[in-house]
């Protein structure tokens, strides 16, 4: 707890694969966790049970990332339950459907910009009053496409590029309040969704293990531990960075 002080972490999208791994990493560090979910009620309940089994208090709150009032209410509920919030993590996003830019429907762009980019903006804006009080940390998940464009990954690349710049703005403006802001640019991580994609495209796993210098797909818990490090006082002089965790693929 000396790495964080009193209070809790809040993870928007904590019921998802990467969000759940981040919640678990906080719990292993002894940090109480508030997490949000949108539709995955049962997944959220299971995540809370897992966190409590690790010995920390945890709670789940339904929130729509695209609705700032909803996000604000989720943060307020977490703050009231745990006293304060020292770490806020954006682990949300839109559904990823690979498609060429020229064939991407307008609705897909709208989905990413409204529910990913605006979700991150809504969370960061609502979180700042809490983080100023605790001199805390905001971390957003992003994509390694900030360093290397992936064919048929346009909407996520564009949306997450804006998220990358947003955290730099926050870091520049909020440093005077002791608030830090960073992103973790994720490469290919072995979530259920990615494994499903590999089943549909068997050649893709072999292709990725060959193009990633470390020769493997990443693990969700590796992203979790990276986020917790950036949130902690061990990273107390790190702000405004886009840290890429992709096994070296974008080199």
């Amino acid at each position: 707890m000396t790495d964080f002080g009193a209070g809790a972490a809040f993870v928007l999208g904590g019921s998802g694969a990467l969000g759940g791994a981040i919640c678990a990493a906080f719990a292993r560090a002894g940090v109480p966790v508030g997490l949000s979910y949108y539709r995955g009620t049962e997944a959220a309940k299971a995540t809370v049970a897992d966190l409590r089994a690790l010995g920390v208090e945890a709670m789940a709150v339904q929130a729509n990332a695209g609705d700032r009032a909803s996000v604000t209410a989720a943060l307020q509920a977490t703050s009231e339950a745990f006293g304060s919030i020292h770490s806020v993590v954006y682990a949300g996003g839109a559904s990823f459907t690979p498609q060429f830019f020229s064939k991407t429907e307008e609705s897909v762009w709208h989905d990413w910009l409204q529910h990913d980019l605006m979700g991150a903006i809504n969370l960061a804006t609502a979180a700042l009053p809490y983080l100023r009080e605790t001199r805390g940390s905001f971390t957003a998940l992003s994509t390694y496409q900030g360093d290397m464009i992936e064919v048929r990954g346009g909407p996520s690349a564009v949306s997450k590029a804006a998220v990358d710049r947003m955290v730099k703005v926050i870091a520049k403006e909020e440093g005077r309040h002791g608030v830090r802001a960073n992103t973790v640019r994720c490469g290919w991580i072995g979530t259920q969704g990615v494994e499903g994609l590999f089943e549909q495209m068997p050649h893709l796993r072999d292709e990725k293990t060959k193009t990633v210098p470390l020769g493997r797909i990443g693990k969700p818990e590796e992203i979790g531990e990276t986020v917790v490090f950036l949130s902690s006082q061990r990273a107390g002089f790190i702000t405004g960075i886009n840290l890429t965790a992709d096994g070296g693929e974008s080199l």
Side-chain angles (χ1 to χ4, degrees), residues 213-231:
L214 289 183
R216 64 177 177 85
I217 303 303
K219 303 174 184 177
E221 55 266 33
E222 291 173 317
I223 299 301
E225 295 295 340
T226 301
V227 169
V228 169
F229 165 71
L230 285 176
S231 301

Side-chain angles (χ1 to χ4, degrees), residues 13-15 36-41 44 61-66 70 115:
S15 63
S36 79
Y37 65 97
Y38 184 33
R39 296 190 180 94
T41 305
V61 185
Q62 187 174 31
N64 177 359
S70 177
H115 296 105

Side-chain angles (χ1 to χ4, degrees), residues 153-246:
S156 64
V158 171
S159 180
K160 292 299 188 183
V163 173
D164 285 345
R165 297 303 292 178
M166 180 198 74
V167 301
K168 289 183 179 292
V169 170
I170 295 170
K172 190 80 169 183
E173 294 184 357
E174 295 296 322
R176 67 187 188 276
H177 298 295
V179 176
R180 297 182 298 109
N182 300 289
T183 60
V184 175
R185 289 174 167 174
C186 303
W188 286 82
I189 310 298
T191 62
Q192 184 176 359
V194 168
E195 292 297 336
L197 191 60
F198 286 155
E199 290 180 6
Q200 297 175 31
M201 307 169 67
H203 67 281
L204 189 57
R205 184 190 298 274
D206 290 338
E207 176 185 317
K208 289 302 172 185
T209 54
K210 290 177 182 177
T211 57
V212 175
L214 289 183
R216 64 177 177 85
I217 303 303
K219 303 174 184 177
E221 55 266 33
E222 291 173 317
I223 299 301
E225 295 295 340
T226 301
V227 169
V228 169
F229 165 71
L230 285 176
S231 301
S232 76
Q233 288 306 308
R234 288 173 291 163
F237 204 52
I238 299 174
T239 192
I241 70 161
N242 303 131
L243 189 158
T244 302
D246 67 349

